[in-house]
C-alpha cells in the first residue's frame, strides 16, 4: 500500500472517511471524492482524478499532425467539434493558413451546435441527479435533433473529425437548412419547458441557490473560464475577448450570473444556449447554398482512366458516397488548397499521375503537414471555457510536444473548497454544475 | 500600453530575472531565470501588470538535444485582455523550481501534473503527489526517454483501507 493520502493523514480519529466514486453514478464514473464526515457534514474532502487518463499528449507525439485529429474528438466527447476546431486553428496559426469564408461560417455553425449540446448534456445530468428526470429526457431529446444536423453532415454523432486543418472535410448536407431549423425549433421548445419546470422549482432552488458558491477572486485564482467563471459575474468569453472565425461580425450577448453558485451556473448555461441558437440563425442566413455540381452523368474513376488513354475525358468523377460534399468543385470554398496543408482532391488522386503523387506526398511518413520550428498557443471558447492547445514543433511531421489546456481541470480543482463544510447532498449539484468531462480532464 | 512598451515595462520591473524576450507567431514570450520564477510571477500578478490568472502550466522535454527541461507558464490579464508566455529552463538531471502555490490556487494541481508527467520537483509544494497516474506508477510518461508503449508493473490490490 502506498503512502497515505492527505485526507487520511489529517482525518480526526472520531470522524468517518467515505469514498464517493469512482464507481458512483453521480461521479460520472471517472472521479473519486474522499470525504471526511461528521454525520452528513463534510469536514474535509480530497478529489482524485485520472481514472480516464489515456496518455493523449504522449500518443500525439507519436502521430502525424494529420492523424492525431481523431484523438481530439475524444477529449470533450459532448462537443467534439469544438476540440477539432481548437486543434485545427492552432495548427493554422502555426502554418499561417487562411481559411475560406464558407468554411469559417460552417465552423461557427458547428461550434455553436456543439456548445448547445454540451450545455444540454451538462444540465440534463445535473438536474437528473437532483431528481428532475423529466428535464433529463426533454434535454436528451433536443440534443438528438442537434446531433442529427451533425450526423447528416459529418457522418458521425460524436467522433466527427469533421473540422480539419485548413478548413472542413466536406460541405454541409444538402438538406441542412431543414434539419437546422427543426433543431432550433425543438431546442427552443425544450428550453422553454425546462425553464417552466425548474427556474422557480423550490426543490431545485433549495439544492442550488447559495450552494457551491465561489467568489470572483477565487474563481480567477483557480483559473476558471467559460460558463463557470461567468456565473460569478465576470464577462470573459474568448469569442468576445479574442475573436476568431467570424464571431466579431455576429451579434450575441455574454450572459453573466451574480453569486457564482450552482443556480447561476445553471442559469448562465440556459441563457447561453439561447445566444448560441441566435448565432446559428445568423450564420444560416449568411451561409449561401453550396455551389451546384456540373450537370451531366458522373463517371467511375476507373472508367475515366480507361477512357483517357488518348485524351482526358471531361466531366465529373463519381466519388464514394462517404466523400459526398468534398467534390473538387466544392473543395475550394471549404479548405485552404495547399498541398502541404490539406488532402488533395480525390478526383485528381483517382485519375491522374500528378494527383496520385501529391496524395502520396501528403500521406507518406516524414512528408505532409510540417509546421516550421517553434511553439504556438491558441484557444477557442469550448463548452467548458478556454480550450487551449500548446504545440511545439521541431519541423517534422509529428508534434514534439502537444499540450491541452483543459478548462474543466481548473474548475474541478476548486471542488474540494466548494464542498467543504457543506452536506453530502450538496456534492451532487455542485459537481454536476461544473460539467466535469473525463476525456478532457484526464486526457 | 502597447505590446512593445508592456514587455519593456516588465523587463524594467523584473530586471536580471528576465534572460531574454522572444516572439512566437505574434505572441510575446519572456525567458526567465529558473531561480526567480516565483518572485517574477508575484510581481506580474500585481498592478500595473495585473496578470490575475494562471492560465496554464506545462513542460517540454529538451533533455536529449539540449540537456534541459523547459517550463512553460501562460498568464492572462483580465483587465488588459492580454496573455503572456513565460519560460524557464531546468537541468534535466535534477529539475527543481519554486512552487507557485500561495500565489494561485490552481497551481497546486497544475504543478502536480507536471511533477507526475515530467518529474519536476516543485519546492515548497504542500502535496506533491501524482495526479493523472497513480501511486506506484514507475517513471514520468511525458519524458522522451519513456517509451510510448511501456507496460507498467501491476500494483497489489488494496486490502480494505
Amino acid at each position: 500500500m502506498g503512502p497515505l493520502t492527505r485526507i487520511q493523514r489529517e482525518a480526526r480519529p472520531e470522524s468517518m472517511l467515505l469514498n464517493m466514486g469512482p464507481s458512483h453514478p453521480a461521479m460520472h464514473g471517472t472521479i473519486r471524492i474522499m470525504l471526511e464526515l461528521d454525520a452528513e457534514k463534510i469536514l474535509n474532502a480530497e478529489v482524485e482524478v485520472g481514472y480516464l487518463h489515456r496518455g493523449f499528449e504522449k500518443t500525439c507525439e507519436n502521430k502525424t499532425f494529420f492523424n492525431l485529429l481523431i484523438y481530439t474528438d475524444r477529449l470533450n466527447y459532448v462537443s467534439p467539434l469544438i476540440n477539432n476546431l481548437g486543434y485545427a486553428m492552432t495548427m493554422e496559426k502555426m502554418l499561417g493558413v487562411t481559411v475560406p469564408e464558407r468554411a469559417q461560417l460552417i465552423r461557427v455553425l458547428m461550434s455553436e451546435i456543439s456548445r448547445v449540446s454540451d450545455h444540454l448534456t451538462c444540465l440534463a445530468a445535473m438536474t437528473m441527479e437532483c431528481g428532475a428526470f423529466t428535464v433529463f429526457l426533454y434535454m436528451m431529446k433536443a440534443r438528438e435533433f442537434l446531433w442529427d444536423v451533425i450526423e447528416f453532415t459529418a457522418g458521425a454523432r460524436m467522433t466527427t473529425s469533421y473540422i480539419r486543418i485548413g478548413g472542413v472535410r466536406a460541405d454541409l448536407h444538402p438538406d441542412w437548412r431543414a434539419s437546422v431549423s427543426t433543431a432550433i425549433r425543438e431546442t427552443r421548445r425544450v428550453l422553454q419547458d425546462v425553464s417552466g419546470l425548474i427556474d422557480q422549482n423550490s426543490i431545485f432552488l433549495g439544492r442550488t441557490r447559495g450552494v457551491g458558491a465561489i467568489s470572483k477572486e477565487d474563481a480567477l485564482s483557480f483559473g476558471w473560464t467559460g460558463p463557470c467563471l461567468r456565473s460569478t459575474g465576470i464577462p470573459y468569453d474568448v469569442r468576445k475577448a479574442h475573436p476568431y472565425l467570424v464571431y466579431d461580425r455576429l451579434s450575441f450577448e455574454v450572459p453573466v450570473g451574480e453569486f457564482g453558485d450552482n443556480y447561476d451556473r445553471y442559469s448562465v448555461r440556459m441563457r447561453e444556449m439561447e445566444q448560441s441558437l441566435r448565432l446559428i440563425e445568423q450564420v444560416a442566413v449568411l451561409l449561401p447554398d453550396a455551389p451546384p455540381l456540373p450537370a451531366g452523368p458522373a463517371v467511375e474513376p476507373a472508367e475515366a482512366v480507361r477512357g483517357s488513354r488518348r485524351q482526358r475525358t471531361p466531366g465529373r468523377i463519381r466519388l464514394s458516397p462517404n466523400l459526398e460534399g468534398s467534390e473538387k468543385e466544392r473543395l475550394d470554398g471549404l479548405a485552404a488548397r495547399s498541398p502541404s496543408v490539406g488532402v488533395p482532391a480525390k478526383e485528381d488522386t483517382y485519375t491522374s499521375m500528378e494527383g496520385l503523387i501529391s496524395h502520396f506526398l501528403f500521406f507518406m511518413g516524414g512528408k505532409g503537414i510540417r509546421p516550421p520550428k517553434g511553439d504556438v498557443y491558441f484557444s477557442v471558447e469550448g463548452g467548458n471555457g478556454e480550450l487551449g492547445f500548446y504545440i511545439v514543433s521541431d519541423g517534422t511531421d509529428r508534434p514534439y510536444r502537444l499540450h491541452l489546456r483543459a478548462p474543466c481541470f481548473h474548475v474541478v480543482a476548486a471542488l474540494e473548497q466548494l464542498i467543504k463544510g457543506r452536506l453530502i447532498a450538496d456534492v451532487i449539484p455542485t459537481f454536476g454544475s461544473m460539467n466535469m468531462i473525463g476525456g478532457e480532464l484526464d486526457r | 500600453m502597447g505590446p512593445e512598451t508592456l514587455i519593456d515595462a516588465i523587463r524594467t520591473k523584473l530586471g536580471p530575472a528576465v534572460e531574454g524576450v522572444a516572439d512566437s507567431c505574434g505572441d510575446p514570450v519572456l525567458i526567465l531565470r529558473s531561480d526567480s520564477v516565483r518572485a517574477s510571477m508575484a510581481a506580474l500578478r500585481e498592478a500595473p501588470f495585473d496578470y490575475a490568472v494562471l492560465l496554464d502550466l506545462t513542460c517540454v522535454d529538451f533533455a536529449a538535444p539540449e540537456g534541459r527541461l523547459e517550463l512553460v507558464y501562460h498568464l492572462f490579464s483580465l483587465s488588459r485582455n492580454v496573455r503572456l508566455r513565460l519560460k524557464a529552463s531546468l537541468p534535466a538531471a535534477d529539475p527543481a523550481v519554486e512552487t507557485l502555490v500561495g500565489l494561485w490556487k490552481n497551481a497546486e494541481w497544475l504543478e502536480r501534473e507536471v511533477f507526475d508527467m515530467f518529474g519536476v520537483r516543485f519546492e515548497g509544494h504542500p502535496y506533491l503527489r501524482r495526479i493523472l497516474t497513480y501511486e506506484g506508477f514507475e517513471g514520468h510518461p511525458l519524458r522522451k526517454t519513456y517509451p510510448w508503449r511501456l507496460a507498467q508493473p501491476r500494483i497489489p490490490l488494496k486490502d480494505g483501507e
Side-chain angles (χ1 to χ4, degrees), chain A residues 5-6 8 46 49 58 61 93 218 221 241-242 375 377 379 386 400-401 403 405 410 417 443, chain B residues 24 27 55-56 58-59 61 81 83 87 105-106 108 113 127 129 131 141 143-144 146 161:
Chain A
T5 57
R6 175 157 63 184
Q8 286 170 327
E46 184 172 337
V49 300
K58 185 78 177 176
E61 289 174 14
K93 181 173 175 184
D218 275 359
S221 182
H242 310 275
D375 57 346
Y377 176 84
S379 63
E386 177 159 350
Y400 189 76
R401 171 94 173 92
H403 172 73
R405 188 220 181 256
H410 304 254
Q417 176 184 322
R443 281 157 284 155
Chain B
S24 133
D27 301 326
L55 205 55
D56 195 23
T58 188
C59 186
D61 181 3
N81 194 23
R83 298 189 188 113
K87 293 180 176 176
K105 292 194 170 187
N106 56 348
E108 184 172 331
E113 185 189 326
Y127 194 44
R129 184 171 183 267
I131 184 166
R143 292 288 282 258
K144 293 282 177 187
Y146 187 96
E161 284 175 37

Side-chain angles (χ1 to χ4, degrees), chain B residues 129-150:
Chain B
R129 184 171 183 267
R130 290 185 178 272
I131 184 166
L132 294 181
T133 62
Y134 45 86
E135 210 57 57
F137 189 95
E138 290 178 4
H140 299 286
L142 280 175
R143 292 288 282 258
K144 293 282 177 187
T145 46
Y146 187 96
W148 179 26
R149 294 177 184 280
L150 179 72

Side-chain angles (χ1 to χ4, degrees), chain A residues 75-83 110-126 139-140 142-143 146-147 150 187 227 269-270 272-273 276 381-385 387 407-408 432-437 440:
Chain A
L75 293 171
N76 183 341
Y77 34 71
V78 286
S79 52
L81 286 153
I82 307 185
N83 303 312
M110 287 303 186
S111 319
E112 293 310 316
I113 290 176
S114 305
R115 192 179 322 282
V116 179
S117 64
D118 189 295
H119 288 356
L120 282 173
T121 314
C122 165
L123 296 183
M126 175 197 174
M139 285 187 155
M140 288 295 117
R143 196 177 72 163
L146 291 160
W147 277 358
I150 293 173
T187 310
R269 283 205 175 84
M270 284 295 277
E272 259 184 46
M273 281 193 269
S276 292
E381 179 73 22
N384 276 335
L387 182 81
C408 71
S433 67
M434 286 182 162
N435 196 21
M436 188 283 308
I437 302 288
E440 178 185 281

Side-chain angles (χ1 to χ4, degrees), chain A residues 388-438:
Chain A
F389 282 85
Y390 176 69
I391 300 177
V392 181
S393 162
D394 58 351
T396 62
D397 63 337
R398 283 148 210 257
Y400 189 76
R401 171 94 173 92
L402 186 148
H403 172 73
L404 174 82
R405 188 220 181 256
C408 71
F409 187 81
H410 304 254
V411 176
V412 174
L415 184 58
E416 290 168 12
Q417 176 184 322
L418 295 194
I419 58 177
K420 220 173 269 185
R422 313 271 336 173
L423 301 179
I424 295 183
D426 294 335
V427 175
I428 308 296
T430 308
F431 179 69
S433 67
M434 286 182 162
N435 196 21
M436 188 283 308
I437 302 288

Side-chain angles (χ1 to χ4, degrees), chain A residues 73-360:
Chain A
D73 291 340
R74 283 120 176 115
L75 293 171
N76 183 341
Y77 34 71
V78 286
S79 52
L81 286 153
I82 307 185
N83 303 312
N84 291 166
L85 180 71
Y87 169 64
M89 290 198 72
T90 312
M91 289 304 294
E92 285 153 15
K93 181 173 175 184
M94 209 172 198
L95 293 159
V97 172
T98 325
V99 177
E101 164 106 5
R102 183 173 179 80
Q104 297 203 20
L105 288 165
I106 295 177
R107 284 173 165 196
V108 172
L109 180 80
M110 287 303 186
S111 319
E112 293 310 316
I113 290 176
S114 305
R115 192 179 322 282
V116 179
S117 64
D118 189 295
H119 288 356
L120 282 173
T121 314
C122 165
L123 296 183
M126 175 197 174
T127 47
M128 176 185 66
E129 287 154 8
C130 292
F133 202 81
T134 315
V135 174
F136 172 79
L137 294 175
Y138 282 9
M139 285 187 155
M140 288 295 117
K141 182 184 80 176
R143 196 177 72 163
E144 285 306 310
F145 286 106
L146 291 160
W147 277 358
D148 275 351
V149 181
I150 293 173
E151 191 180 354
F152 286 159
T153 292
R157 289 146 55 90
M158 289 195 244
T159 50
T160 51
S161 299
Y162 172 68
I163 293 175
R164 300 279 172 95
I165 300 168
V168 295
R169 187 180 62 79
D171 213 315
L172 294 167
H173 185 266
D175 284 337
W176 68 274
R177 281 185 201 279
S179 58
V180 165
S181 66
T182 313
I184 291 180
R185 193 180 63 239
E186 294 294 330
T187 310
R188 282 231 166 89
R189 189 179 291 167
V190 164
L191 291 184
Q192 204 182 350
D193 285 348
V194 169
S195 269
L197 283 168
I198 289 289
D199 278 0
Q200 293 173 35
N201 182 310
S202 60
I203 301 172
F204 187 73
L205 282 170
R207 297 195 67 180
T208 55
R209 236 328 154 215
V211 179
I214 190 167
S215 67
K216 281 182 189 179
E217 294 71 29
D218 275 359
L220 286 177
S221 182
F222 271 114
W224 281 26
T225 47
C228 292
L229 177 67
R230 293 192 281 273
S231 75
T232 66
I234 298 174
Y236 173 65
D237 186 317
V238 183
R239 293 172 296 171
K240 286 277 190 203
H242 310 275
Y244 52 97
L245 297 174
V246 293
Y247 280 113
D248 48 349
R249 281 159 42 194
L250 304 170
S251 97
F252 65 103
E253 285 155 27
V254 179
V256 291
E258 200 177 339
F259 308 109
D261 59 5
N262 293 339
Y263 187 82
D264 276 351
R265 289 195 277 277
Y266 156 81
S267 142
V268 163
R269 283 205 175 84
M270 284 295 277
R271 287 178 280 152
E272 259 184 46
M273 281 193 269
E274 180 50 43
Q275 297 302 320
S276 292
L277 294 177
R278 264 181 74 196
L279 282 168
I280 297 170
E281 286 173 330
Q282 291 173 50
V283 171
V285 172
L286 288 174
L287 200 59
D289 284 323
L293 295 175
V299 206
E300 290 294 332
E303 201 181 313
V305 171
R306 265 198 305 279
S308 66
R309 291 266 152 74
R310 287 190 202 87
Q311 200 183 347
R312 176 74 36 96
T313 20
R316 205 148 59 83
I317 308 295
R318 178 173 297 138
L319 293 179
S320 139
N322 57 25
L323 290 170
E324 185 190 9
S326 50
E327 293 87 1
K328 194 180 175 186
E329 293 80 7
R330 290 187 171 156
L331 221 48
D332 279 327
L334 298 176
R337 298 296 303 281
S338 156
S340 59
V341 172
V343 184
K346 281 283 183 274
E347 285 88 341
D348 295 340
T349 306
Y350 291 159
T351 59
S352 80
M353 181 63 86
E354 298 78 19
L356 195 60
I357 290 172
S358 60
H359 173 88
F360 277 129

Side-chain angles (χ1 to χ4, degrees), chain B residues 17-157:
Chain B
V18 180
E19 280 183 338
V21 176
D23 177 274
S24 133
C25 301
D27 301 326
V29 182
L30 283 183
I31 321 284
L32 292 180
R33 281 167 56 113
S34 63
D35 55 2
S36 53
V37 166
R38 190 181 163 96
S40 310
M41 295 286 178
L44 288 172
R45 201 177 63 134
E46 305 304 326
F49 307 113
D50 200 19
Y51 285 100
V53 183
L54 174 61
L55 205 55
D56 195 23
L57 164 62
T58 188
C59 186
V60 188
D61 181 3
F62 290 112
E66 297 164 30
R68 67 189 178 97
L69 298 183
E70 188 176 78
L71 283 178
V72 184
Y73 296 86
H74 280 91
L75 299 187
F76 174 61
S77 162
L78 199 66
S79 55
R80 299 154 166 284
N81 194 23
V82 283
R83 298 189 188 113
L84 179 65
R85 189 180 310 153
L86 300 115
K87 293 180 176 176
S89 288
L90 307 174
D94 180 30
V97 72
E98 279 174 289
T99 178
L100 295 186
V101 173
L103 292 175
W104 284 285
K105 292 194 170 187
N106 56 348
E108 184 172 331
W109 275 34
L110 287 170
E111 289 177 352
R112 275 176 69 182
E113 185 189 326
V114 172
F115 164 74
D116 190 359
M117 294 290 139
F118 291 90
V120 175
R121 270 189 305 114
F122 289 89
E123 283 158 4
H125 191 290
Y127 194 44
L128 200 60
R129 184 171 183 267
R130 290 185 178 272
I131 184 166
L132 294 181
T133 62
Y134 45 86
E135 210 57 57
F137 189 95
E138 290 178 4
H140 299 286
L142 280 175
R143 292 288 282 258
K144 293 282 177 187
T145 46
Y146 187 96
W148 179 26
R149 294 177 184 280
L150 179 72
Q152 284 284 328
R154 291 197 155 188
I155 50 168
L157 284 176

